[in-house]
Amino acid sequence: MTRRLLLATLGAVPLALSATSPIDASRLRSRLEELSLCGRVAGGSFADGVSRVAFSDADIAGRALVMRWMRKAGLDPKIDAAGNIFGRRAGSDSKLEPVLFGSHTDSVPNGGNFDGDLGTLSAIEVIEALNAQRIVTRRPLEIVDWTNEEGVAYNNGLFGSRAVAGLLDPGEMDAVWQGVSQKDALKKIGGDAGRIDSAKRSAGWFHAYFELHIEQGGNLDREKIPIGVVEGIVAIDRYEVEFRGFANHAGTTPMADRQDALLAASELTIAVNEIVRGEPGRQVGTIGHMEVIPNAPNVVPGMVKMTVELRDLSAEKILRLGGAVETRAREIAAKTRTALEFRKGSHHGSALADPKLQTLIEDSSAKLGFATKRLPSGAGHDAQSMARMGQMAMIFVPSVNGISHSPKELTRWEDCANGAAVLLETVRRAAS
Ligand SMILES: [Zn+2]
């Protein structure tokens, strides 16, 4: 089925929730469709996705829409020095820390219509639903649209949430991307690099952080489960590996005399797969980059540079697996008579979702009649910055065929509405 036909079919399906949930599913849909106009290819349709890279004209237009809808929901949007857009709804006890929730509206080039957009517009929808029901929560509510989550601009993601958590890198304000400084880019969206420290908040400034997001993987769609409860965002270890052999004539060097760096790299590629699959769990391991030198058809490869990337919720587990990969790499180097360099490239720790908040999402889903499944997030999210400052949890909804960062990214309208309904119920309970 083509995407367009699929959308037309989905459009004809009555939204199961529209009668029972205070979430206005048709307004959420029409706003997602309207936001999609910001960054749409000329002459394209919703099915062509969006290019709404942070700080672009499309991003600025999208942020203006978000602020217009915040005002319609009775909020007074404020932009901090990092360009994050916040909107606060008073609670009955103004002394309490707020319940914070939201997502981002920037995208990758040729991205989809749901990544970030769903969580941001659902946050506004939650406020609208509470207004419509005249519910005043005990805690204040604060919604947020984070700046440059994707990190396409300046090649550094989670910008806005890292600024708030005090996790910006030294010199990050001096970065230049496509001829524009980070300082000027921030000015374009109402931020202020000169006061960037003012965006920083202290730990515990919110009571709980929630983010509704599409899964961007295929687990929920495959198992037909409407709501995913995120256990945490995985830790990532990257290694840079080099095998150095001897580049020699491919016609005159006998097989037994070769020091073939690619043969070693190939064995390690298979070994990583074996090691990662060699124990139960959801850990993943990838050789995603390989450089063969000199990379010529008639030369025995003299050198290979490659990366090994390992991900899991448990930082301890991937550290141990990395050790096993290194041991195997040394055995392979000895066997192939190559020299090995095995360096740790980068380490990003995991961010665990709070167990009580996970239960809160499950209870809220159960009340609404939705089955849930706990699962890790293999992708990064602003929630991981917030995990450094307080308790957080994430709600996932199914991505059709697990596709994301693509115009083919799709979450069914009823799944969007279901996710918003669970966000509403969860926030209401957390703020009571
Ligand atoms: Zn996202």
Side-chain angles (χ1 to χ4, degrees), residues 103-104 106 114-117 149-150 211 213-214 216 380-382 404-405:
S103 195
H104 62 97
D106 68 311
F114 300 89
D115 179 357
D117 298 4
E149 188 273 346
E150 298 289 1
E211 186 166 348
H213 205 281
I214 57 169
Q216 304 181 281
H381 295 288
D382 291 304
S404 184
H405 282 187

mmCIF file of all heavy atoms in Angstrom, residues 103-104 106 114-117 149-150 211 213-214 216 380-382 404-405, ligand 1:
data_model
loop_
_atom_site.group_PDB
_atom_site.id
_atom_site.type_symbol
_atom_site.label_atom_id
_atom_site.label_comp_id
_atom_site.label_asym_id
_atom_site.label_seq_id
_atom_site.Cartn_x
_atom_site.Cartn_y
_atom_site.Cartn_z
ATOM 1 N N SER A 103 8.540 18.130 24.160
ATOM 2 C CA SER A 103 9.466 17.447 23.258
ATOM 3 C C SER A 103 10.091 18.510 22.358
ATOM 4 O O SER A 103 10.323 19.624 22.838
ATOM 5 C CB SER A 103 8.716 16.369 22.454
ATOM 6 O OG SER A 103 9.604 15.477 21.833
ATOM 7 N N HIS A 104 10.339 18.221 21.112
ATOM 8 C CA HIS A 104 11.003 19.177 20.221
ATOM 9 C C HIS A 104 10.262 19.257 18.895
ATOM 10 O O HIS A 104 9.497 18.343 18.558
ATOM 11 C CB HIS A 104 12.452 18.747 19.970
ATOM 12 C CG HIS A 104 12.554 17.410 19.286
ATOM 13 N ND1 HIS A 104 12.727 17.272 17.927
ATOM 14 C CD2 HIS A 104 12.470 16.137 19.762
ATOM 15 C CE1 HIS A 104 12.762 15.993 17.612
ATOM 16 N NE2 HIS A 104 12.611 15.267 18.697
ATOM 17 N N ASP A 106 12.152 20.546 15.999
ATOM 18 C CA ASP A 106 13.118 20.538 14.891
ATOM 19 C C ASP A 106 13.163 19.117 14.328
ATOM 20 O O ASP A 106 12.721 18.163 14.968
ATOM 21 C CB ASP A 106 14.509 20.990 15.365
ATOM 22 C CG ASP A 106 15.176 20.009 16.311
ATOM 23 O OD1 ASP A 106 14.502 19.592 17.285
ATOM 24 O OD2 ASP A 106 16.341 19.621 16.094
ATOM 25 N N PHE A 114 6.319 13.159 12.840
ATOM 26 C CA PHE A 114 5.900 12.742 14.175
ATOM 27 C C PHE A 114 7.009 12.839 15.226
ATOM 28 O O PHE A 114 6.735 13.049 16.400
ATOM 29 C CB PHE A 114 5.343 11.313 14.118
ATOM 30 C CG PHE A 114 4.148 11.191 13.211
ATOM 31 C CD1 PHE A 114 4.292 10.907 11.862
ATOM 32 C CD2 PHE A 114 2.870 11.429 13.704
ATOM 33 C CE1 PHE A 114 3.188 10.831 11.019
ATOM 34 C CE2 PHE A 114 1.754 11.349 12.875
ATOM 35 C CZ PHE A 114 1.924 11.045 11.528
ATOM 36 N N ASP A 115 8.247 12.674 14.798
ATOM 37 C CA ASP A 115 9.394 12.723 15.707
ATOM 38 C C ASP A 115 9.459 14.098 16.372
ATOM 39 O O ASP A 115 9.744 15.090 15.698
ATOM 40 C CB ASP A 115 10.671 12.433 14.901
ATOM 41 C CG ASP A 115 11.937 12.493 15.742
ATOM 42 O OD1 ASP A 115 11.857 12.818 16.950
ATOM 43 O OD2 ASP A 115 13.015 12.211 15.190
ATOM 44 N N GLY A 116 9.184 14.160 17.672
ATOM 45 C CA GLY A 116 9.223 15.433 18.397
ATOM 46 C C GLY A 116 7.903 16.186 18.319
ATOM 47 O O GLY A 116 7.369 16.629 19.332
ATOM 48 N N ASP A 117 7.364 16.315 17.107
ATOM 49 C CA ASP A 117 6.122 17.087 16.917
ATOM 50 C C ASP A 117 4.993 16.511 17.769
ATOM 51 O O ASP A 117 4.220 17.263 18.383
ATOM 52 C CB ASP A 117 5.688 17.071 15.442
ATOM 53 C CG ASP A 117 6.713 17.724 14.526
ATOM 54 O OD1 ASP A 117 7.780 18.120 15.026
ATOM 55 O OD2 ASP A 117 6.453 17.840 13.327
ATOM 56 N N GLU A 149 17.066 19.592 19.125
ATOM 57 C CA GLU A 149 17.219 18.254 19.692
ATOM 58 C C GLU A 149 18.040 17.376 18.764
ATOM 59 O O GLU A 149 18.881 16.605 19.190
ATOM 60 C CB GLU A 149 15.828 17.630 19.926
ATOM 61 C CG GLU A 149 15.867 16.318 20.699
ATOM 62 C CD GLU A 149 16.070 15.093 19.838
ATOM 63 O OE1 GLU A 149 15.934 15.166 18.610
ATOM 64 O OE2 GLU A 149 16.391 14.033 20.400
ATOM 65 N N GLU A 150 17.781 17.507 17.460
ATOM 66 C CA GLU A 150 18.400 16.578 16.509
ATOM 67 C C GLU A 150 19.903 16.816 16.349
ATOM 68 O O GLU A 150 20.649 15.887 16.024
ATOM 69 C CB GLU A 150 17.705 16.681 15.144
ATOM 70 C CG GLU A 150 16.221 16.291 15.160
ATOM 71 C CD GLU A 150 16.000 14.796 15.344
ATOM 72 O OE1 GLU A 150 17.000 14.060 15.471
ATOM 73 O OE2 GLU A 150 14.835 14.368 15.362
ATOM 74 N N GLU A 211 7.965 12.734 28.611
ATOM 75 C CA GLU A 211 8.037 13.005 27.178
ATOM 76 C C GLU A 211 7.313 11.899 26.431
ATOM 77 O O GLU A 211 7.642 10.721 26.581
ATOM 78 C CB GLU A 211 9.504 13.121 26.721
ATOM 79 C CG GLU A 211 9.626 13.549 25.259
ATOM 80 C CD GLU A 211 11.039 14.016 24.857
ATOM 81 O OE1 GLU A 211 11.895 14.233 25.758
ATOM 82 O OE2 GLU A 211 11.274 14.165 23.650
ATOM 83 N N HIS A 213 6.715 10.276 22.841
ATOM 84 C CA HIS A 213 7.511 10.240 21.614
ATOM 85 C C HIS A 213 7.145 8.997 20.820
ATOM 86 O O HIS A 213 6.677 8.006 21.391
ATOM 87 C CB HIS A 213 9.009 10.221 21.983
ATOM 88 C CG HIS A 213 9.908 10.775 20.919
ATOM 89 N ND1 HIS A 213 10.266 10.040 19.808
ATOM 90 C CD2 HIS A 213 10.515 11.982 20.786
ATOM 91 C CE1 HIS A 213 11.062 10.786 19.040
ATOM 92 N NE2 HIS A 213 11.225 11.976 19.609
ATOM 93 N N ILE A 214 7.379 9.050 19.520
ATOM 94 C CA ILE A 214 7.218 7.829 18.714
ATOM 95 C C ILE A 214 8.376 6.888 19.029
ATOM 96 O O ILE A 214 9.475 7.336 19.373
ATOM 97 C CB ILE A 214 7.175 8.155 17.209
ATOM 98 C CG1 ILE A 214 8.421 8.912 16.760
ATOM 99 C CG2 ILE A 214 5.903 8.957 16.893
ATOM 100 C CD1 ILE A 214 8.573 9.036 15.256
ATOM 101 N N GLN A 216 10.221 4.945 17.115
ATOM 102 C CA GLN A 216 11.327 4.977 16.145
ATOM 103 C C GLN A 216 11.973 3.612 15.986
ATOM 104 O O GLN A 216 13.072 3.488 15.456
ATOM 105 C CB GLN A 216 12.389 6.023 16.514
ATOM 106 C CG GLN A 216 11.827 7.429 16.668
ATOM 107 C CD GLN A 216 12.888 8.456 17.007
ATOM 108 O OE1 GLN A 216 13.300 8.553 18.150
ATOM 109 N NE2 GLN A 216 13.324 9.226 16.029
ATOM 110 N N GLY A 380 18.562 8.658 21.377
ATOM 111 C CA GLY A 380 18.713 9.684 22.407
ATOM 112 C C GLY A 380 17.502 10.613 22.440
ATOM 113 O O GLY A 380 16.828 10.795 21.427
ATOM 114 N N HIS A 381 17.215 11.175 23.584
ATOM 115 C CA HIS A 381 16.105 12.126 23.737
ATOM 116 C C HIS A 381 16.475 13.177 24.781
ATOM 117 O O HIS A 381 17.317 12.934 25.641
ATOM 118 C CB HIS A 381 14.832 11.405 24.204
ATOM 119 C CG HIS A 381 14.313 10.429 23.207
ATOM 120 N ND1 HIS A 381 13.705 10.818 22.044
ATOM 121 C CD2 HIS A 381 14.335 9.078 23.180
ATOM 122 C CE1 HIS A 381 13.370 9.753 21.352
ATOM 123 N NE2 HIS A 381 13.731 8.679 22.005
ATOM 124 N N ASP A 382 15.771 14.324 24.744
ATOM 125 C CA ASP A 382 15.998 15.376 25.743
ATOM 126 C C ASP A 382 15.762 14.860 27.158
ATOM 127 O O ASP A 382 16.316 15.393 28.120
ATOM 128 C CB ASP A 382 15.092 16.576 25.461
ATOM 129 C CG ASP A 382 15.491 17.302 24.183
ATOM 130 O OD1 ASP A 382 16.669 17.707 24.088
ATOM 131 O OD2 ASP A 382 14.653 17.453 23.289
ATOM 132 N N SER A 404 11.793 5.735 11.011
ATOM 133 C CA SER A 404 11.872 7.102 11.525
ATOM 134 C C SER A 404 13.017 7.836 10.841
ATOM 135 O O SER A 404 13.811 7.230 10.133
ATOM 136 C CB SER A 404 12.079 7.087 13.037
ATOM 137 O OG SER A 404 12.066 8.405 13.545
ATOM 138 N N HIS A 405 13.102 9.143 11.077
ATOM 139 C CA HIS A 405 14.078 9.988 10.375
ATOM 140 C C HIS A 405 13.937 9.769 8.873
ATOM 141 O O HIS A 405 14.935 9.687 8.142
ATOM 142 C CB HIS A 405 15.515 9.696 10.858
ATOM 143 C CG HIS A 405 15.801 10.342 12.188
ATOM 144 N ND1 HIS A 405 17.064 10.357 12.766
ATOM 145 C CD2 HIS A 405 15.000 10.995 13.046
ATOM 146 C CE1 HIS A 405 16.997 10.992 13.930
ATOM 147 N NE2 HIS A 405 15.755 11.382 14.117
HETATM 148 ZN ZN ZN B 1 12.814 13.143 18.660
#
